[in-house]
Structures are given as structure tokens and as C-alpha cells.
Amino acid sequence: MVGVSESAVPLAWTPGFAEWSFPAEAGAVRTARTLVRDTLAEWGLESVGDVTVLLVSELVTNSLRHASGPIGVRMYSRRPRPDDAILLVEVSDPLPDPPRERVARPEDEGGRGLQLVACASRRWGTRRGKTGKTVWFELTLPG
């Protein structure tokens, strides 16, 4: 299994599926990046590592800025059709309000995270949970 820092709680890990919970602390983004990158390497999916890590960083950062409770990251690969393989990544937090995509002006310091997710992913969206929300995205996996 991938190494886990003291601040991350591994909830599940099997080939093709991993899930962690992070406290809403500054180190959560760095830890999430490391765990996601290492897990994708173990799965042989390094080709989507950079974009996955970038998008996870954006979503965990958003959760960290707006929510005060634990942040969950889940990812799994699946093949909905024989000629189609995807990586699904979900970031959850206890805040029920869905994120709002906005248009950032050139001088704005933030506001580009969801635009980046929308541009770099195959699909993305949000859904409400019992105690918060989940923002998810899909990436197409090679061959």
C-alpha cells in the first residue's frame, strides 16, 4: 500500500480503488497530491498523474478554504465499455453548498480552479450527500 502521512486516514485501498480522509489542515493539499501521485504510479497510470494531481490540488484547496471538517478523496478506475477506460476522482467535504464556477479577471488571485477542472477533465459535476457535497471529475485513461 502507498505510504500514508500522519494527517491522512486511509479508508480503503485495493488495485483500482483508493480512498482517504484528511483533516482540514494546511498540509492536506500536499499530502493528497503525494498519495494520489503514488497511487496512480502503483496502478500504472502515470500518464494521467500530472493532470490528476493538479485537479485534486484545486478541489482539496477549495474544500480547505470553505469547509471546516474532514476532506475526503476517492479515486477509482473503471471501464464502462470495452473500448473506454476512465479514472473517476471525487473530493468531498461537509459543506453542503456546491461550488460556483466563476470567471476570474486577469488581476484576480483565485477563481480559476473549477474552470481548470472543467477544461482538463472529460466530465465533472457535484452532488449533495447526507452531510455535505462531493465534487467529481473523470479523466479518459489511455488504451
Side-chain angles (χ1 to χ4, degrees), residues 49-94:
D50 288 342
V51 69
T52 305
V53 167
L54 175 65
L55 300 183
V56 165
S57 291
E58 291 296 333
L59 295 180
V60 171
T61 298
N62 283 350
S63 291
L64 192 57
R65 283 187 179 150
H66 302 288
S68 59
I71 300 165
V73 176
R74 177 188 304 177
M75 64 180 190
Y76 56 95
S77 60
R78 63 187 180 102
R79 190 172 287 279
R81 293 183 300 279
D83 61 340
D84 190 23
I86 63 169
L87 178 69
L88 177 63
V89 180
E90 303 173 335
V91 176
S92 302
D93 65 50

Short mmCIF file of all heavy atoms in Angstrom, two decimals, residues 49-94:
data_model
loop_
_atom_site.label_atom_id
_atom_site.label_comp_id
_atom_site.label_asym_id
_atom_site.label_seq_id
_atom_site.Cartn_x
_atom_site.Cartn_y
_atom_site.Cartn_z
N GLY A 49 -1.07 11.24 -14.25
CA GLY A 49 -0.68 11.68 -12.92
C GLY A 49 -0.65 13.18 -12.75
O GLY A 49 -1.21 13.72 -11.80
N ASP A 50 -0.01 13.90 -13.69
CA ASP A 50 0.12 15.35 -13.53
C ASP A 50 -1.23 16.05 -13.51
O ASP A 50 -1.50 16.88 -12.64
CB ASP A 50 0.99 15.94 -14.63
CG ASP A 50 2.46 15.59 -14.47
OD1 ASP A 50 2.87 15.19 -13.37
OD2 ASP A 50 3.20 15.71 -15.47
N VAL A 51 -2.09 15.71 -14.46
CA VAL A 51 -3.39 16.39 -14.52
C VAL A 51 -4.26 15.99 -13.32
O VAL A 51 -4.96 16.83 -12.75
CB VAL A 51 -4.11 16.16 -15.87
CG1 VAL A 51 -4.59 14.74 -16.03
CG2 VAL A 51 -5.28 17.12 -16.02
N THR A 52 -4.20 14.73 -12.91
CA THR A 52 -5.00 14.30 -11.75
C THR A 52 -4.55 15.03 -10.49
O THR A 52 -5.38 15.54 -9.73
CB THR A 52 -4.88 12.78 -11.55
OG1 THR A 52 -5.25 12.11 -12.76
CG2 THR A 52 -5.78 12.30 -10.42
N VAL A 53 -3.24 15.10 -10.27
CA VAL A 53 -2.70 15.78 -9.09
C VAL A 53 -3.08 17.27 -9.11
O VAL A 53 -3.47 17.83 -8.09
CB VAL A 53 -1.18 15.58 -9.00
CG1 VAL A 53 -0.55 16.53 -8.00
CG2 VAL A 53 -0.87 14.14 -8.65
N LEU A 54 -3.00 17.90 -10.27
CA LEU A 54 -3.37 19.32 -10.38
C LEU A 54 -4.83 19.53 -10.00
O LEU A 54 -5.16 20.42 -9.21
CB LEU A 54 -3.11 19.82 -11.80
CG LEU A 54 -3.56 21.24 -12.10
CD1 LEU A 54 -2.77 22.24 -11.27
CD2 LEU A 54 -3.40 21.53 -13.58
N LEU A 55 -5.73 18.71 -10.55
CA LEU A 55 -7.15 18.89 -10.28
C LEU A 55 -7.51 18.54 -8.83
O LEU A 55 -8.33 19.23 -8.21
CB LEU A 55 -7.98 18.08 -11.27
CG LEU A 55 -7.78 18.44 -12.75
CD1 LEU A 55 -8.70 17.61 -13.63
CD2 LEU A 55 -7.96 19.92 -13.00
N VAL A 56 -6.89 17.50 -8.29
CA VAL A 56 -7.11 17.17 -6.88
C VAL A 56 -6.64 18.34 -6.00
O VAL A 56 -7.32 18.72 -5.05
CB VAL A 56 -6.42 15.85 -6.50
CG1 VAL A 56 -6.34 15.67 -4.98
CG2 VAL A 56 -7.16 14.67 -7.12
N SER A 57 -5.49 18.91 -6.33
CA SER A 57 -4.99 20.06 -5.58
C SER A 57 -6.00 21.20 -5.56
O SER A 57 -6.24 21.82 -4.51
CB SER A 57 -3.68 20.58 -6.18
OG SER A 57 -2.64 19.69 -5.99
N GLU A 58 -6.56 21.50 -6.71
CA GLU A 58 -7.55 22.58 -6.80
C GLU A 58 -8.77 22.28 -5.93
O GLU A 58 -9.24 23.16 -5.19
CB GLU A 58 -7.98 22.79 -8.26
CG GLU A 58 -6.91 23.37 -9.15
CD GLU A 58 -6.50 24.78 -8.76
OE1 GLU A 58 -7.32 25.52 -8.18
OE2 GLU A 58 -5.34 25.13 -9.03
N LEU A 59 -9.30 21.07 -6.02
CA LEU A 59 -10.53 20.75 -5.29
C LEU A 59 -10.29 20.64 -3.79
O LEU A 59 -11.12 21.09 -2.99
CB LEU A 59 -11.15 19.47 -5.85
CG LEU A 59 -11.63 19.58 -7.30
CD1 LEU A 59 -12.23 18.25 -7.76
CD2 LEU A 59 -12.64 20.71 -7.47
N VAL A 60 -9.16 20.06 -3.39
CA VAL A 60 -8.86 19.98 -1.95
C VAL A 60 -8.61 21.39 -1.40
O VAL A 60 -9.06 21.72 -0.30
CB VAL A 60 -7.67 19.03 -1.68
CG1 VAL A 60 -7.23 19.12 -0.22
CG2 VAL A 60 -8.06 17.59 -2.02
N THR A 61 -7.95 22.23 -2.18
CA THR A 61 -7.74 23.62 -1.75
C THR A 61 -9.08 24.33 -1.56
O THR A 61 -9.28 25.05 -0.57
CB THR A 61 -6.86 24.37 -2.76
OG1 THR A 61 -5.58 23.74 -2.81
CG2 THR A 61 -6.69 25.83 -2.37
N ASN A 62 -10.00 24.15 -2.50
CA ASN A 62 -11.34 24.76 -2.35
C ASN A 62 -12.01 24.27 -1.08
O ASN A 62 -12.59 25.07 -0.33
CB ASN A 62 -12.22 24.43 -3.56
CG ASN A 62 -11.89 25.25 -4.78
OD1 ASN A 62 -11.13 26.22 -4.71
ND2 ASN A 62 -12.45 24.87 -5.91
N SER A 63 -11.96 22.97 -0.83
CA SER A 63 -12.57 22.43 0.39
C SER A 63 -11.91 23.02 1.63
O SER A 63 -12.59 23.40 2.58
CB SER A 63 -12.44 20.91 0.42
OG SER A 63 -13.25 20.32 -0.56
N LEU A 64 -10.61 23.11 1.59
CA LEU A 64 -9.86 23.64 2.73
C LEU A 64 -10.22 25.10 3.01
O LEU A 64 -10.33 25.51 4.17
CB LEU A 64 -8.37 23.51 2.45
CG LEU A 64 -7.40 23.72 3.58
CD1 LEU A 64 -7.69 22.77 4.73
CD2 LEU A 64 -5.98 23.53 3.08
N ARG A 65 -10.45 25.87 1.97
CA ARG A 65 -10.79 27.29 2.14
C ARG A 65 -12.19 27.50 2.68
O ARG A 65 -12.45 28.49 3.37
CB ARG A 65 -10.68 28.02 0.80
CG ARG A 65 -9.27 28.30 0.41
CD ARG A 65 -9.21 29.17 -0.82
NE ARG A 65 -7.82 29.43 -1.16
CZ ARG A 65 -7.40 29.64 -2.37
NH1 ARG A 65 -8.23 29.64 -3.38
NH2 ARG A 65 -6.12 29.86 -2.59
N HIS A 66 -13.11 26.61 2.34
CA HIS A 66 -14.51 26.87 2.64
C HIS A 66 -15.12 25.95 3.69
O HIS A 66 -16.15 26.29 4.26
CB HIS A 66 -15.33 26.81 1.35
CG HIS A 66 -14.87 27.78 0.32
ND1 HIS A 66 -15.06 29.12 0.43
CD2 HIS A 66 -14.19 27.59 -0.83
CE1 HIS A 66 -14.53 29.74 -0.62
NE2 HIS A 66 -14.00 28.83 -1.40
N ALA A 67 -14.55 24.80 3.93
CA ALA A 67 -15.14 23.84 4.88
C ALA A 67 -14.25 23.71 6.10
O ALA A 67 -13.05 23.96 6.04
CB ALA A 67 -15.32 22.49 4.21
N SER A 68 -14.84 23.30 7.20
CA SER A 68 -14.06 23.17 8.43
C SER A 68 -13.89 21.72 8.87
O SER A 68 -13.21 21.46 9.85
CB SER A 68 -14.73 23.96 9.54
OG SER A 68 -16.04 23.47 9.75
N GLY A 69 -14.50 20.81 8.17
CA GLY A 69 -14.43 19.41 8.58
C GLY A 69 -13.52 18.59 7.70
O GLY A 69 -12.78 19.14 6.88
N PRO A 70 -13.56 17.30 7.85
CA PRO A 70 -12.66 16.43 7.09
C PRO A 70 -12.93 16.50 5.58
O PRO A 70 -14.05 16.74 5.14
CB PRO A 70 -12.95 15.03 7.63
CG PRO A 70 -14.27 15.12 8.29
CD PRO A 70 -14.44 16.55 8.72
N ILE A 71 -11.87 16.28 4.83
CA ILE A 71 -11.94 16.30 3.37
C ILE A 71 -11.66 14.88 2.89
O ILE A 71 -10.67 14.26 3.28
CB ILE A 71 -10.89 17.27 2.79
CG1 ILE A 71 -11.15 18.68 3.30
CG2 ILE A 71 -10.89 17.22 1.26
CD1 ILE A 71 -10.00 19.64 3.10
N GLY A 72 -12.55 14.36 2.08
CA GLY A 72 -12.38 13.01 1.56
C GLY A 72 -11.93 13.05 0.11
O GLY A 72 -12.37 13.89 -0.66
N VAL A 73 -11.04 12.14 -0.25
CA VAL A 73 -10.62 11.96 -1.64
C VAL A 73 -10.78 10.48 -1.97
O VAL A 73 -10.33 9.62 -1.22
CB VAL A 73 -9.16 12.39 -1.87
CG1 VAL A 73 -8.72 12.09 -3.30
CG2 VAL A 73 -8.98 13.88 -1.56
N ARG A 74 -11.46 10.23 -3.06
CA ARG A 74 -11.69 8.86 -3.53
C ARG A 74 -11.37 8.83 -5.01
O ARG A 74 -11.73 9.74 -5.74
CB ARG A 74 -13.13 8.46 -3.30
CG ARG A 74 -13.47 7.08 -3.83
CD ARG A 74 -14.94 6.79 -3.76
NE ARG A 74 -15.42 6.95 -2.40
CZ ARG A 74 -16.68 6.81 -2.04
NH1 ARG A 74 -17.60 6.54 -2.93
NH2 ARG A 74 -17.04 6.97 -0.78
N MET A 75 -10.71 7.78 -5.46
CA MET A 75 -10.49 7.63 -6.89
C MET A 75 -10.52 6.16 -7.26
O MET A 75 -10.12 5.30 -6.49
CB MET A 75 -9.20 8.31 -7.34
CG MET A 75 -7.95 7.78 -6.82
SD MET A 75 -6.58 8.77 -7.51
CE MET A 75 -5.24 7.75 -6.98
N TYR A 76 -11.06 5.93 -8.44
CA TYR A 76 -11.07 4.57 -8.95
C TYR A 76 -11.11 4.58 -10.46
O TYR A 76 -11.61 5.49 -11.09
CB TYR A 76 -12.19 3.72 -8.35
CG TYR A 76 -13.59 4.25 -8.50
CD1 TYR A 76 -14.41 3.84 -9.53
CD2 TYR A 76 -14.11 5.12 -7.54
CE1 TYR A 76 -15.71 4.30 -9.64
CE2 TYR A 76 -15.41 5.58 -7.63
CZ TYR A 76 -16.20 5.17 -8.69
OH TYR A 76 -17.49 5.62 -8.79
N SER A 77 -10.52 3.54 -11.00
CA SER A 77 -10.54 3.38 -12.44
C SER A 77 -11.63 2.37 -12.78
O SER A 77 -11.91 1.45 -12.02
CB SER A 77 -9.18 2.90 -12.95
OG SER A 77 -8.84 1.65 -12.39
N ARG A 78 -12.24 2.60 -13.91
CA ARG A 78 -13.29 1.67 -14.35
C ARG A 78 -13.37 1.68 -15.87
O ARG A 78 -12.86 2.57 -16.52
CB ARG A 78 -14.63 1.99 -13.72
CG ARG A 78 -15.22 3.32 -14.05
CD ARG A 78 -16.48 3.57 -13.21
NE ARG A 78 -17.05 4.85 -13.53
CZ ARG A 78 -18.12 5.01 -14.31
NH1 ARG A 78 -18.74 3.98 -14.82
NH2 ARG A 78 -18.58 6.22 -14.56
N ARG A 79 -14.01 0.67 -16.38
CA ARG A 79 -14.15 0.50 -17.82
C ARG A 79 -15.65 0.32 -18.12
O ARG A 79 -16.15 -0.80 -18.11
CB ARG A 79 -13.34 -0.71 -18.27
CG ARG A 79 -13.20 -0.86 -19.74
CD ARG A 79 -12.24 -1.97 -20.11
NE ARG A 79 -10.85 -1.65 -19.86
CZ ARG A 79 -10.09 -0.93 -20.68
NH1 ARG A 79 -10.60 -0.43 -21.77
NH2 ARG A 79 -8.83 -0.70 -20.39
N PRO A 80 -16.36 1.46 -18.36
CA PRO A 80 -17.81 1.35 -18.60
C PRO A 80 -18.14 0.59 -19.89
O PRO A 80 -19.20 -0.01 -19.99
CB PRO A 80 -18.29 2.79 -18.67
CG PRO A 80 -17.08 3.62 -18.87
CD PRO A 80 -15.90 2.84 -18.39
N ARG A 81 -17.23 0.65 -20.87
CA ARG A 81 -17.39 -0.09 -22.12
C ARG A 81 -16.03 -0.70 -22.46
O ARG A 81 -15.00 -0.18 -22.05
CB ARG A 81 -17.85 0.85 -23.24
CG ARG A 81 -19.26 1.40 -23.04
CD ARG A 81 -19.71 2.27 -24.21
NE ARG A 81 -18.85 3.42 -24.45
CZ ARG A 81 -18.91 4.57 -23.76
NH1 ARG A 81 -19.78 4.71 -22.80
NH2 ARG A 81 -18.11 5.57 -24.06
N PRO A 82 -16.01 -1.76 -23.24
CA PRO A 82 -14.72 -2.40 -23.54
C PRO A 82 -13.68 -1.45 -24.16
O PRO A 82 -12.50 -1.60 -23.92
CB PRO A 82 -15.09 -3.50 -24.53
CG PRO A 82 -16.52 -3.80 -24.24
CD PRO A 82 -17.14 -2.50 -23.80
N ASP A 83 -14.12 -0.46 -24.91
CA ASP A 83 -13.18 0.45 -25.57
C ASP A 83 -13.04 1.79 -24.83
O ASP A 83 -12.55 2.76 -25.38
CB ASP A 83 -13.64 0.72 -27.00
CG ASP A 83 -15.01 1.39 -27.07
OD1 ASP A 83 -15.77 1.31 -26.08
OD2 ASP A 83 -15.32 1.99 -28.10
N ASP A 84 -13.44 1.83 -23.56
CA ASP A 84 -13.46 3.09 -22.82
C ASP A 84 -13.01 2.85 -21.38
O ASP A 84 -13.63 2.06 -20.67
CB ASP A 84 -14.88 3.67 -22.84
CG ASP A 84 -14.95 5.08 -22.30
OD1 ASP A 84 -13.94 5.78 -22.32
OD2 ASP A 84 -16.05 5.48 -21.88
N ALA A 85 -11.95 3.49 -20.97
CA ALA A 85 -11.48 3.39 -19.58
C ALA A 85 -11.40 4.80 -18.99
O ALA A 85 -10.93 5.72 -19.66
CB ALA A 85 -10.12 2.72 -19.53
N ILE A 86 -11.87 4.94 -17.77
CA ILE A 86 -11.86 6.27 -17.13
C ILE A 86 -11.32 6.17 -15.71
O ILE A 86 -11.34 5.11 -15.08
CB ILE A 86 -13.26 6.92 -17.10
CG1 ILE A 86 -14.23 6.11 -16.26
CG2 ILE A 86 -13.79 7.16 -18.49
CD1 ILE A 86 -15.52 6.83 -15.98
N LEU A 87 -10.84 7.30 -15.24
CA LEU A 87 -10.47 7.48 -13.84
C LEU A 87 -11.48 8.45 -13.26
O LEU A 87 -11.64 9.56 -13.78
CB LEU A 87 -9.06 8.05 -13.71
CG LEU A 87 -8.59 8.32 -12.28
CD1 LEU A 87 -8.38 6.99 -11.54
CD2 LEU A 87 -7.32 9.14 -12.28
N LEU A 88 -12.17 8.03 -12.22
CA LEU A 88 -13.13 8.89 -11.54
C LEU A 88 -12.50 9.33 -10.23
O LEU A 88 -12.00 8.50 -9.46
CB LEU A 88 -14.44 8.16 -11.27
CG LEU A 88 -15.50 8.93 -10.49
CD1 LEU A 88 -15.96 10.16 -11.25
CD2 LEU A 88 -16.67 8.04 -10.16
N VAL A 89 -12.50 10.64 -9.98
CA VAL A 89 -11.93 11.20 -8.75
C VAL A 89 -13.01 12.04 -8.09
O VAL A 89 -13.68 12.84 -8.74
CB VAL A 89 -10.69 12.06 -9.06
CG1 VAL A 89 -10.12 12.64 -7.77
CG2 VAL A 89 -9.63 11.25 -9.80
N GLU A 90 -13.17 11.84 -6.78
CA GLU A 90 -14.17 12.58 -6.01
C GLU A 90 -13.50 13.25 -4.81
O GLU A 90 -12.68 12.62 -4.14
CB GLU A 90 -15.25 11.62 -5.49
CG GLU A 90 -15.95 10.85 -6.56
CD GLU A 90 -16.89 9.78 -6.02
OE1 GLU A 90 -16.68 9.31 -4.88
OE2 GLU A 90 -17.81 9.42 -6.76
N VAL A 91 -13.88 14.49 -4.56
CA VAL A 91 -13.40 15.21 -3.37
C VAL A 91 -14.66 15.66 -2.61
O VAL A 91 -15.52 16.34 -3.17
CB VAL A 91 -12.51 16.41 -3.74
CG1 VAL A 91 -12.12 17.20 -2.50
CG2 VAL A 91 -11.27 15.94 -4.50
N SER A 92 -14.74 15.26 -1.35
CA SER A 92 -15.93 15.54 -0.53
C SER A 92 -15.56 16.38 0.68
O SER A 92 -14.44 16.29 1.19
CB SER A 92 -16.56 14.23 -0.05
OG SER A 92 -16.90 13.41 -1.13
N ASP A 93 -16.53 17.18 1.11
CA ASP A 93 -16.36 17.93 2.36
C ASP A 93 -17.73 18.13 2.98
O ASP A 93 -18.75 17.87 2.35
CB ASP A 93 -15.63 19.26 2.12
CG ASP A 93 -16.38 20.24 1.25
OD1 ASP A 93 -17.58 20.50 1.52
OD2 ASP A 93 -15.79 20.77 0.31
N PRO A 94 -17.78 18.55 4.26
CA PRO A 94 -19.06 18.66 4.96
C PRO A 94 -19.89 19.90 4.60
O PRO A 94 -21.02 20.03 5.08
CB PRO A 94 -18.67 18.68 6.43
CG PRO A 94 -17.26 19.14 6.46
CD PRO A 94 -16.65 18.72 5.17
#
